[in-house]
Amino acid sequence: GGIITQTPKFLIGQEGQKLTLKCQQNFNHDTMYWYRQDSGKGLRLIYYSITENDLQKGDLSEGYDASREKKSSFSLTVTSAQKNEMAVFLCASSIGTGGAEQFFGPGTRLTVL
Amino acid sequence: GDSVTQTEGQVALSEEDFLTIHCNYSASGYPALFWYVQYPGEGPQFLFRASRDKEKGSSRGFEATYNKETTSFHLQKASVQESDSAVYYCALGDRGYAQGLTFGLGTRVSVFP
């Protein structure tokens, strides 16, 4: 088995601040994902990466940057935090095809003051 | 674009009741279909998937059958327990490519003793 670790668990920032969320996986999976979960809106894809140094934009990528410097890690940066971005950010990984199950981390809850 | 519709936003049941959550999808091609379950404070957990018309997926007493004609993948469980209280998500993914999943808005299930 494996595990996905997300840090920090809770992140509090000021409006306009640049904030970084980190994700590590030890499944040795090729593909990693960042989703945003808003209350009542399900999960929406921000970025994904099919291999080290690859980045693909999802439907919600505006206002975010991502980085995949190692196979095991995937970071997400909120470039300028806004109050309406308060949500839970979920990292996931999978073996690499769209039909494969994705394994999720426990999430980072972002609060913007 | 692809979409997933879950009819029920919330469901309240008593233990041993029969559970049905309706899921319909809209997608080009032939997607893989998934059910995930999320408990408070955790990321979504994979329940099961189906990839072909009439294929049944199942796990932990839950089941759903892929129906291409009605574009549906309804979740059912014959006898729910209090421990089944959670949020359930239907999702679809492209079988061939490593992309993010498209999720429904989720259904909150509350089971009372």
Side-chain angles (χ1 to χ4, degrees), chain A residues 4-106:
Chain A
I4 293 182
T5 304
Q6 291 189 239
T7 54
K9 189 168 177 64
F10 299 96
L11 180 58
I12 300 174
Q14 300 290 329
E15 197 166 20
Q17 192 175 359
K18 184 175 176 180
L19 302 166
T20 298
L21 294 71
K22 295 186 183 296
C23 175
Q24 297 266 352
Q25 54 99 359
N26 64 0
F27 289 100
N28 198 33
H29 284 162
D30 291 316
T31 308
M32 296 186 73
Y33 311 82
W34 276 107
Y35 291 89
R36 174 173 154 171
Q37 184 173 37
D38 295 90
S39 179
K41 291 189 179 179
L43 283 74
R44 292 179 288 173
L45 183 68
I46 306 172
Y47 265 97
Y48 67 101
S49 166
I50 62 174
T51 189
E52 189 177 319
N53 293 318
D54 173 76
L55 295 173
Q56 307 286 339
K57 292 183 178 181
D59 293 336
L60 214 60
S61 62
E62 188 171 336
Y64 302 95
D65 287 329
S67 172
R68 181 100 182 267
E69 294 176 353
K70 294 191 302 184
K71 185 176 182 179
S72 62
S73 67
F74 194 29
S75 298
L76 181 73
T77 297
V78 182
T79 55
S80 177
Q82 303 298 313
K83 282 192 187 289
N84 62 5
E85 276 179 310
M86 291 191 289
V88 175
F89 292 81
L90 292 161
C91 177
S93 71
S94 74
I95 63 169
T97 65
E101 66 182 280
Q102 294 183 13
F103 294 84
F104 283 83

